[in-house]
């Protein structure tokens, strides 16, 4: 985890301003898509934003080790690059390893340990919880399940656990609990159960873990990918009624839920929750951070990237890098990708949109997923419970 100096990051952080104004439908990535592609209802007034109304989190000023995080970027890079060299060119959206991963000046040296790219020794059962608005828009995003197919060849089984698209984290935590309780307990030969939370899916999962201790023995690890762990300042400037416009998106399969999604993403709410709810140490926690340079921000996300940059330039268009870190977690790496590029494959199925609105959407997702799963499998084996 970098220091926040210009020397460590290569990017001079912007001075926070307390009156950041953001268009409500550009305040969250999925909402930007809804506004541009069909709702036609963009005339909502924004209001002044206090980006952080609680104390700033320690990750802002403190290197990872001193903030309790475990820095494993070097090993993750080794695995990611080995997969890229072995089969990256045969997979979609190939990108050289050093272009896909951001290397900061404080990254440790390579470990030199061997890497087995065959079938996983134990495999994993992976359950993915998506972010805000997913069921409203999933009919438009044709993922073709290529990542699921690719990683399945090596013994990693992926399941999508859909929650209520526009409900708050407390409600979705209940749904996650119910779904996990229906999964049989692992036996001696069963694959470890690993949860992944993307964007708002991360706080949804964290609340489930804390609120429902009965699911803790089932879970070996939790991975946050671009997770809104510390919230987003952009959530302070939108309204639940504006988010509700997603229910009118063509082909939408969602309803308004409990209309508490945005409140769950506010920095004050998330940081207070983290302060009041210690995470159980029986589960391993991992953070995969999206940390793009400006050239890898899609045109449709550039506005929110610039406006969030008035709080801190080191953001993925929706989240500042330090708000993506689970306290005490293992840092896997920094991806040179905006908030959509890794998790929402729009450009693959919508060529026009991919050349205009989401023109930086290409990313080697299959390589990334395989690298994450191999790293976690190896780490769980090396650090048994």
């Amino acid at each position: 985890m970098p220091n926040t100096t210009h020397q460590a990051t290569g990017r001079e952080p912007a001075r926070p301003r307390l009156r950041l104004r953001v268009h409500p439908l550009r305040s969250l990535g999925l909402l930007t898509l809804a506004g541009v592609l069909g709702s036609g209802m963009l005339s909502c007034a924004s209001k002044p934003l206090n980006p952080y109304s609680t104390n700033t989190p320690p990750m802002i000023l403190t290197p990872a080790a001193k903030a309790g995080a475990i820095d494993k970027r070097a090993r993750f890079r080794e695995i990611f690059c080995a997969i890229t060299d072995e089969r990256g060119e045969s997979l979609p959206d190939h990108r050289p390893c050093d272009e896909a991963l951001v290397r900061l000046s404080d990254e440790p040296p390579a470990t030199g340990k061997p890497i087995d790219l065959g079938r996983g020794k134990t495999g994993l059962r992976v359950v993915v919880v998506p972010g805000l608005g997913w069921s409203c828009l999933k009919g438009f995003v044709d993922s073709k399940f290529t990542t699921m197919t690719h990683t399945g060849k090596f013994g990693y089984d992926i399941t999508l656990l859909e929650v209520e698209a526009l409900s708050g984290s407390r409600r979705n935590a209940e749904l996650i609990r119910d779904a996990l309780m229906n999964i049989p307990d692992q036996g001696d030969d069963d694959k470890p159960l690993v949860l992944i939370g993307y964007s708002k899916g991360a706080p949804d999962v964290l609340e489930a873990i804390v609120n429902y201790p009965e699911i803790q023995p089932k879970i070996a690890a939790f991975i946050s990918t671009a997770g809104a762990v510390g919230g987003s300042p952009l959530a302070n400037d939108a309204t639940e009624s504006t988010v509700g416009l997603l229910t009118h998106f063509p082909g939408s399969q969602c309803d308004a839920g409990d209309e508490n999604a945005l409140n769950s993403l506010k920095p004050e709410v998330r940081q207070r929750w983290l302060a009041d709810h210690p995470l159980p140490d029986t589960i391993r926690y991992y953070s995969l951070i999206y940390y793009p340079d400006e050239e890898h921000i899609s045109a449709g996300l550039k506005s929110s990237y610039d406006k969030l940059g008035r709080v801190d330039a080191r953001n993925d268009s929706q989240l500042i890098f330090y708000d993506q870190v689970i306290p005490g977690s293992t840092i896997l790496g920094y991806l040179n990708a905006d908030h959509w590029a890794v998790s929402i494959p729009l450009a693959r199925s919508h060529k026009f949109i991919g050349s205009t609105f989401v023109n930086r959407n290409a990313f080697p997702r299959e390589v990334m997923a395989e690298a994450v799963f191999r790293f976690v499998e190896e780490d769980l084996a090396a650090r048994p419970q």
Side-chain angles (χ1 to χ4, degrees):
M1 201 71 179
N3 297 318
T4 58
T5 63
H6 181 64
Q7 180 180 4
T9 65
R11 303 170 192 162
E12 186 68 37
R15 185 183 299 276
R17 302 178 184 178
L18 296 183
R19 289 185 61 83
L20 174 61
R21 296 176 67 82
V22 184
H23 194 293
L25 283 186
R26 290 193 178 273
S27 64
L28 292 168
L30 288 175
L31 303 188
T32 311
L33 177 66
V36 172
L37 298 184
S39 72
M41 293 175 280
L42 299 176
S43 57
C44 297
S46 59
K47 50 184 183 289
L49 166 63
N50 180 350
Y52 293 104
S53 55
T54 60
N55 292 331
T56 53
M59 292 299 294
I60 296 178
L61 301 175
T62 308
K66 293 182 180 179
I70 303 170
D71 190 347
K72 293 289 186 176
R73 287 175 289 164
R75 183 55 178 170
F76 180 74
R77 180 182 293 274
E78 285 179 300
I79 296 172
F80 191 106
C81 293
I83 296 168
T84 299
D85 293 343
E86 177 73 16
R87 44 179 164 264
E89 292 187 6
S90 67
L91 296 169
D93 299 326
H94 171 64
R95 191 189 294 185
C97 181
D98 285 339
E99 293 182 16
L101 296 178
V102 176
R103 186 191 296 272
L104 302 178
S105 62
D106 63 341
E107 182 172 318
T111 69
K113 294 189 296 185
I115 300 168
D116 184 355
L117 296 183
R119 188 172 180 85
K121 290 181 172 57
T122 62
L124 300 173
R125 291 183 296 169
V126 180
V127 176
V128 180
V129 178
L132 185 151
W134 171 249
S135 59
C136 305
L137 301 171
K138 65 179 181 180
F140 184 80
V141 181
D142 183 9
S143 67
K144 295 184 172 62
F145 302 106
T146 55
T147 298
M148 183 182 299
T149 301
H150 172 74
T151 56
K153 298 174 184 177
F154 305 104
Y156 308 115
D157 302 326
I158 305 177
T159 302
L160 184 67
L161 195 169
E162 292 195 23
V163 291
E164 293 179 357
L166 305 181
S167 287
S169 291
R170 179 176 295 183
R171 166 59 179 160
N172 285 345
E174 180 183 3
L175 299 176
I176 293 168
R177 178 265 176 202
D178 292 346
L180 295 185
M181 290 303 293
N182 288 324
I183 296 177
D185 291 332
Q186 68 178 58
D188 293 338
D189 298 324
D190 281 358
K191 300 175 181 179
L193 177 63
V194 175
L195 302 184
I196 294 180
Y198 164 66
S199 195
K200 181 179 171 292
D204 291 354
V205 172
L206 289 175
E207 291 210 17
I209 288 172
V210 171
N211 294 352
Y212 301 102
E214 62 268 29
I215 68 174
Q216 295 173 12
K218 293 176 172 286
I219 304 167
F222 171 54
I223 307 164
S224 168
T225 65
V229 177
S232 172
L234 298 175
N236 289 346
D237 199 38
T239 65
E240 296 290 350
S241 60
T242 301
V243 175
L245 297 177
L246 284 171
T247 62
H248 302 290
F249 192 81
S252 174
Q253 301 178 33
C254 70
D255 57 33
D258 67 8
E259 299 183 317
N260 202 36
L262 277 180
N263 187 63
S264 293
L265 292 172
K266 292 179 178 180
E268 179 180 6
V269 172
R270 293 267 51 89
Q271 292 165 24
R272 187 192 312 120
W273 188 90
L274 288 170
D276 293 342
H277 297 86
L279 301 177
D281 59 10
T282 57
I283 297 171
R284 304 294 185 192
Y285 302 94
Y286 302 88
S287 298
L288 185 63
I289 301 162
Y290 296 12
Y291 190 35
D293 55 47
E294 189 169 2
E295 289 70 29
H296 285 86
I297 298 291
S298 282
L301 296 176
K302 187 63 165 59
S303 175
S304 57
Y305 172 78
D306 289 341
K307 291 171 181 176
L308 187 54
R310 293 164 60 187
V311 177
D312 196 300
R314 300 157 301 175
N315 71 83
D316 69 355
S317 78
Q318 307 303 310
L319 298 167
I320 299 170
F321 85 98
Y322 46 71
D323 285 329
Q324 302 178 41
V325 179
I326 301 173
S329 66
T330 295
I331 307 298
L332 299 180
Y334 298 95
L335 304 186
N336 192 2
D338 67 31
H339 195 71
W340 286 354
V342 182
S343 304
I344 307 176
L346 282 164
R348 291 187 182 180
S349 54
H350 298 281
K351 299 301 182 183
F352 174 75
I353 294 172
S355 64
T356 54
F357 183 64
V358 289
N359 57 327
R360 296 293 184 268
N361 193 240
F363 192 85
R365 299 175 183 90
E366 291 76 16
V367 172
M368 182 276 296
E370 184 185 345
V372 169
F373 297 164
R374 288 191 184 280
F375 178 97
V376 171
E377 181 184 35
E378 176 184 273
D379 195 59
L380 289 176
R383 298 191 298 157
Q385 300 288 5

